[in-house]
C-alpha cells in the first residue's frame, strides 16, 4: 500500500468535507438573512399599525390628524405640542424604514409602496411644519430623502399633498 496514495485520498475527502460544510453554511446564512428581513418588515408593519391605531379606532382622531396635515395653524398651541409627539413617532418610523432599506433589509418592491406612503405623509404641510422645527433630530441622509420626496410630490402648493387630497376620499 502506497502511503502517498492514502494521503491524497484523505486530502480529497477532507476537501469534499470542507466544500460540503461551506455549502451548508451558505444555505444557513441565506435562510437566516431571509428570516431577519421578514422579521424586520413584520416589526415595521406592526409599529406603523400601532401608530395609526388611534386614527383607525376614533373618527375624531383621524379628523384632527387631517386638520394637522392641512393647516397646523388652525390647531391650538396645546394641540400643536401634542402633534409634535405624534409626528415625531411617525417620522422616526420613516427614518427607520429608509435605513432598513438602504441596509438591504427591504426589497426594492416592498420599499416602493412604503416610499409612496411616506411621500403622501411627509409632503403634507403639517409635516413640513414639524420638520422645520425638528429637522436636526434626524440624520442628514433622511432629511435629504424627505426633501427629494417633497419635491417629487409637487409641494409647491402645500395643499396639494396626497394626504390632504385624500381627505374627501374614503
Amino acid at each position: 500500500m502506497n502511503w502517498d496514495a492514502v494521503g491524497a485520498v484523505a486530502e480529497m475527502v477532507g476537501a469534499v468535507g470542507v466544500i460540503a460544510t461551506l455549502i451548508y453554511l451558505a444555505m444557513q446564512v441565506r435562510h437566516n438573512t431571509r428570516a431577519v428581513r421578514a422579521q424586520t418588515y413584520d416589526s415595521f408593519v406592526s409599529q406603523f399599525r400601532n401608530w395609526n391605531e388611534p386614527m383607525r379606532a376614533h373618527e375624531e382622531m383621524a379628523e384632527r390628524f387631517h386638520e394637522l396635515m392641512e393647516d397646523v395653524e388652525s390647531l391650538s398651541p396645546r394641540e400643536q405640542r401634542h402633534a409634535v409627539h405624534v409626528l415625531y413617532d411617525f417620522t422616526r418610523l420613516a427614518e427607520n424604514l429608509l435605513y432598513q432599506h438602504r441596509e438591504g433589509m427591504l426589497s426594492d418592491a416592498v420599499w416602493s409602496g412604503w416610499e409612496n406612503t411616506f411621500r403622501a405623509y411627509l409632503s403634507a404641510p403639517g409635516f413640513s411644519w414639524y420638520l422645520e422645527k425638528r429637522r436636526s433630530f434626524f440624520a442628514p441622509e433622511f432629511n435629504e430623502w424627505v426633501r427629494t420626496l417633497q419635491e417629487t410630490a409637487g409641494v409647491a402648493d402645500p395643499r396639494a399633498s396626497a394626504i390632504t387630497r385624500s381627505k374627501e376620499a374614503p
Side-chain angles (χ1 to χ4, degrees):
M1 183 168 199
N2 182 345
W3 286 110
D4 288 334
V6 171
V9 169
E11 283 183 31
M12 180 76 79
V13 169
V16 168
V18 167
I19 291 170
T21 300
L22 290 175
I23 290 170
Y24 174 77
L25 288 174
M27 290 171 39
Q28 290 300 310
V29 166
R30 185 177 303 139
H31 174 74
N32 185 53
T33 299
R34 277 186 258 166
V36 169
R37 284 181 179 161
Q39 186 177 15
T40 298
Y41 184 69
D42 184 61
S43 172
F44 181 78
V45 170
S46 292
Q47 290 173 38
F48 187 80
R49 288 180 54 81
N50 289 341
W51 176 83
N52 199 37
E53 175 62 29
M55 288 172 275
R56 284 195 326 266
H58 306 284
E59 186 177 324
E60 182 179 317
M61 291 283 292
E63 185 61 31
R64 297 303 287 165
F65 182 73
H66 279 281
E67 289 174 14
L68 165 64
M69 293 295 92
E70 290 176 23
D71 184 12
V72 72
E73 301 303 325
S74 70
L75 301 178
S76 71
R78 181 177 183 200
E79 290 170 322
Q80 287 180 4
R81 286 189 299 274
H82 183 255
V84 165
H85 297 287
V86 171
L87 297 179
Y88 175 83
D89 288 347
F90 179 84
T91 308
R92 277 291 178 212
L93 286 172
E95 184 182 43
N96 180 24
L97 200 63
L98 175 66
Y99 174 79
Q100 298 300 336
H101 172 67
R102 290 189 173 169
E103 291 297 311
M105 298 308 290
L106 295 171
S107 71
D108 289 341
V110 168
W111 172 247
S112 176
W114 283 105
E115 187 171 41
N116 288 332
T117 300
F118 293 137
R119 182 176 287 110
Y121 281 93
L122 295 171
S123 64
F127 269 103
S128 295
W129 167 85
Y130 169 73
L131 288 171
E132 286 175 20
K133 297 178 178 316
R134 299 291 193 259
R135 188 171 313 279
S136 66
F137 287 17
F138 302 97
E141 298 84 9
F142 176 77
N143 288 321
E144 179 60 27
W145 173 72
V146 169
R147 187 189 61 72
T148 302
L149 284 183
Q150 290 173 335
E151 286 175 1
T152 60
V155 188
D157 173 11
R159 300 236 178 240
S161 78
I163 198 75
T164 57
R165 284 193 313 267
S166 69
K167 182 179 179 189
E168 291 79 30

